[in-house]
Amino acid sequence: MLGLMQSQQLLISSLIEFAERHHGEAEVVSRRVEGDIHRYTYKGVAQRSRQVANALDGMNLAFSDRVATLAWNGYRHLELYFGVSGTGRVLHTLNPRLHPDQIVWIANHAEDQVLCFDMSFLPIVKAVHSRCTTIKHFVALCDADKLPPDTGIPGLLSYEAWIGSHPSEYKWPEFDENSASSMCYTSGTTGNPKAALYSHRSTMIHALAGALPDALSMSARDCVLPVVPMFHVNAWGLPYSAAMTGAKLVFPGPAMDGKSIFELIESERVSFAAGVPTVWQMMLAHMQSGKLRFSTLKRTVIGGSACPPAMITAFNDDYGVEVLHAWGMTEMSPLGTVCTLKNKHLEMESAEKMKVRLKQGRGVFGVDMKIVGDEGEELPWDGKAYGDLLVKGPWVISAYFKGEGGSPLVDGWFPTGDVATIDPDGYMQITDRSKDVIKSGGEWISSIDVENVAMAHPAVAMAACIGMKHPKWDERPVIAVVKKPGSEVTREELIAFYEGKTAKWQIPDDVIFVEAIPLGGTGKMQKVKLREMLQDYKLPGV
Ligand code: AMP
């Protein structure tokens, strides 16, 4: 016997319809690329999202066609979040921090049809547009009178003129909730970047679970600042959860420095902010030097890489702000765990409580976790045994876009590439990464990419890149190099060799010349051994 409830499809368009109807006056505030502050309401977001929808229909795009963005966190990007997915097209958030060659590769792989970009990224678009073979329309996210002449980009439109010529009446289409809604490439895997392809259903369930009190705890009384970029796993789903709850949204635009973020928190009375540790490090440094205090901030979600204990203490003890340590990944939409305390922890001594807070947290309903040993055997949740962390759930990927890399699943579980313990209360703690990628300022750096550049130098016989701990950027790449016999190259020459071949922040901080790089039985570099060799090494200037 089937239930007798209405079977309405879970569609992203319903979020903005709800926000308009129930929280139409709630504000959305953005620091713009233009430098000023833009302010309107969910009502405005809804109207302009419908203009986007009409404008896209006017381009005769097919259902599921990809519409790419190269944009900061801001109101126009938010309108594209709803306008693109709401019409059944797929929002593809490109990461502007990637090297232009990678952007070209990804845009072509995704077969993007439209590219909407912030004016700060005009130089990138000028450099890549002729190589992006599938993009038919380029849209600059600016007013018509801000569109520069002679960009060389064919048919370049201004966003305001483009949507301005379309009405704000639109009936959102109904379709299967399993249809793709957005996509995000990750380079946290081996080989070429692969895309996680989210669906309306996965996004909606993720947004619901993300808003729960023991997850991100979002409500109509919150004022939310997503510092985590909208080009990084949909800003952890915050734009969706905010519309679902009617929370005020504040977007930082391109100004991610400590001073700008602090000023925005204060001027907009932000109660809840989310970002990677690097951003908070810059903000705390700014606050400490100016002896500044928060007047409204109550909690921050910190994730993307391990949150240093000193940061949790600083927020908690010095500023009275609760830190929610969270873990997830692109393949998980991204929420996996959030570290909120249980009743039994509340009476603990602060040192004991800190041990709990340092963990990556408890699984959010919807994400099932397990840790396994070398033979795939499940390990106990005793807080001591560590093994490969596997997950499953309705917002965890089943395959990468276009089936790249084959099936990633093992018996229906997704191997995260992280190594973790889980304690009897279900708190997961990452102990290590089984991958060798380097995480710098919240972004991945592929060690293979860094090695490949060095290996292209005529004097280099072998190169191995590893991440070294860095107080500001979390990790920075260094490259260990074996010179070819009889060849010479200096540290400075090799670093200069990277110029123009990779993004600036992916250039290694240092070169270490070694006699040999340890190799395993099958000829693979053994980076664990290399780390042991370099255990006394210190990054320059650290
Ligand atoms: P990404 O797909 O770029 O979001 O990266 C996901 C990876 O970042 C995870 O597999 C972890 O290795 C790492 N990560 C994310 N959050 C945390 C955290 N709170 N602590 C430690 N590592 C984390």
Side-chain angles (χ1 to χ4, degrees):
M1 182 162 65
L2 294 177
L4 292 173
M5 294 294 116
Q6 299 178 10
S7 69
Q8 190 176 310
Q9 301 297 296
L10 296 172
L11 298 177
I12 286 171
S13 53
S14 68
L15 291 174
I16 192 60
E17 284 197 313
F18 175 85
E20 180 181 31
R21 184 179 267 268
H22 297 268
H23 303 281
E25 300 310 311
E27 278 188 304
V28 175
V29 179
S30 314
R31 195 195 292 279
R32 302 206 297 174
V33 171
E34 292 88 330
D36 59 349
I37 296 283
H38 175 273
R39 191 178 291 280
Y40 69 158
T41 61
Y42 278 118
K43 195 177 169 113
V45 182
Q47 283 172 349
R48 284 166 53 95
S49 302
R50 292 193 291 265
Q51 286 180 287
V52 170
N54 279 315
L56 289 170
D57 284 0
M59 283 177 168
N60 291 321
L61 301 175
F63 190 76
S64 293
D65 268 355
R66 269 73 71 201
V67 176
T69 58
L70 261 181
W72 300 109
N73 291 9
Y75 66 106
R76 291 174 178 132
H77 208 171
L78 185 68
E79 292 158 8
L80 289 162
Y81 261 53
F82 294 114
V84 172
S85 303
T87 62
R89 280 99 189 191
V90 177
L91 181 83
H92 174 202
T93 49
L94 281 161
N95 182 344
R97 292 187 184 141
L98 297 178
H99 187 272
D101 290 348
Q102 285 172 304
I103 293 178
V104 170
W105 189 93
I106 289 173
N108 287 339
H109 187 265
E111 298 172 50
D112 293 333
Q113 301 292 306
V114 185
L115 173 61
C116 303
F117 63 91
D118 269 336
M119 288 303 277
S120 8
F121 304 124
L122 181 62
I124 300 180
V125 180
K126 275 186 179 170
V128 303
H129 73 87
S130 61
R131 289 183 286 151
C132 295
T133 51
T134 58
I135 300 179
K136 300 191 191 78
H137 308 279
F138 292 89
V139 181
L141 297 171
C142 66
D143 288 315
D145 60 356
K146 295 275 171 15
L147 205 59
D150 313 324
T151 58
I153 302 167
L156 179 62
L157 299 165
S158 110
Y159 178 79
E160 293 302 332
W162 177 53
I163 69 164
S165 62
H166 291 274
S168 60
E169 290 82 43
Y170 186 81
K171 185 164 171 14
W172 295 109
E174 285 190 29
F175 44 80
D176 184 344
E177 63 186 16
N178 292 299
S179 307
S181 58
S182 67
M183 70 197 303
C184 191
Y185 278 73
T186 175
S187 48
T189 59
T190 47
N192 283 323
K194 298 180 185 66
L197 187 62
Y198 312 111
S199 70
H200 284 259
R201 175 186 155 82
S202 72
T203 305
M204 293 292 282
I205 305 177
H206 179 268
L208 272 168
L212 285 171
D214 266 351
L216 307 182
S217 185
M218 309 226 343
S219 80
R221 294 164 298 289
D222 271 310
C223 174
V224 183
L225 175 75
V227 184
V228 51
M230 289 167 82
F231 56 75
H232 232 167
V233 215
N234 301 324
W236 300 349
L238 288 169
Y240 305 118
S241 294
M244 184 175 273
T245 55
K248 173 178 171 181
L249 268 172
V250 180
F251 290 122
M256 308 282 267
D257 59 288
K259 180 171 183 287
S260 306
I261 296 291
F262 175 77
E263 285 173 1
L264 205 55
I265 288 175
E266 286 303 294
S267 61
E268 294 304 324
R269 305 187 59 75
V270 169
S271 60
F272 166 46
V276 297
T278 316
V279 169
W280 303 128
Q281 203 134 15
M282 291 192 282
M283 194 186 66
L284 288 175
H286 170 71
M287 292 182 66
Q288 279 149 6
S289 68
K291 299 202 172 9
L292 301 166
R293 312 285 309 168
F294 294 117
S295 37
T296 55
L297 191 69
K298 291 196 188 70
R299 61 191 196 285
T300 63
V301 176
I302 304 184
S305 51
C307 181
M311 185 171 286
I312 301 185
T313 315
F315 269 115
N316 196 66
D317 299 358
D318 303 346
Y319 298 105
V321 173
E322 186 185 16
V323 170
L324 303 178
H325 194 189
W327 167 87
M329 56 197 306
T330 307
E331 288 88 339
M332 300 176 67
S333 305
L335 271 186
T337 61
V338 183
C339 196
T340 53
L341 301 182
K342 290 184 172 178
N343 253 340
K344 66 195 269 187
H345 301 124
L346 298 180
E347 302 306 318
M348 280 180 170
E349 288 292 305
S350 62
E352 286 302 299
K353 228 188 256 179
M354 184 67 179
K355 281 191 196 149
V356 182
R357 285 194 181 282
L358 267 181
K359 300 190 177 193
Q360 274 74 7
R362 293 185 278 133
V364 173
F365 171 79
V367 175
D368 202 2
M369 299 188 289
K370 68 173 179 181
I371 42 174
V372 300
D374 288 346
E375 308 300 323
E377 76 284 11
E378 199 167 340
L379 299 174
W381 289 22
D382 59 7
K384 294 188 190 80
Y386 58 89
D388 290 320
L389 177 65
L390 283 83
V391 291
K392 65 177 185 176
W395 60 78
V396 178
I397 66 160
S398 58
Y400 289 100
F401 181 52
K402 294 185 172 171
E404 293 295 350
S407 171
L409 304 189
V410 178
D411 295 333
W413 292 76
F414 176 73
T416 62
D418 290 322
V419 177
T421 60
I422 306 178
D423 73 15
D425 291 318
Y427 286 74
M428 185 275 286
Q429 184 160 28
I430 306 265
T431 56
D432 208 347
R433 272 208 305 268
S434 52
K435 311 171 254 200
D436 287 321
V437 285
I438 295 148
K439 203 131 198 211
S440 177
E443 296 285 338
W444 287 115
I445 297 177
S446 157
S447 55
I448 297 168
D449 288 353
V450 179
E451 287 157 12
N452 286 348
V453 176
M455 295 290 285
H457 191 283
V460 172
M462 191 177 285
C465 176
I466 53 174
M468 287 287 179
K469 282 272 164 251
H470 188 281
K472 177 167 180 192
W473 301 111
D474 188 24
E475 286 182 336
R476 289 295 303 152
V478 298
I479 186 120
V481 166
V482 182
K483 281 187 257 186
K484 282 186 185 155
S487 298
E488 265 317 315
V489 59
T490 63
R491 169 189 183 277
E492 285 65 31
E493 284 166 359
L494 201 54
I495 288 179
F497 187 67
Y498 278 85
E499 291 291 343
K501 298 190 179 71
T502 183
K504 276 211 162 27
W505 55 273
Q506 295 179 339
I507 297 177
D509 276 10
D510 203 5
V511 179
I512 307 165
F513 293 103
V514 292
E515 290 296 314
I517 287 166
L519 297 180
T522 54
K524 287 201 183 71
M525 291 189 282
Q526 292 187 309
K527 292 198 179 170
V528 175
K529 287 229 170 93
L530 180 62
R531 277 179 203 285
E532 284 168 13
M533 272 169 59
L534 300 177
Q535 59 183 337
D536 296 328
Y537 170 83
K538 289 242 167 339
L539 275 169
V542 167

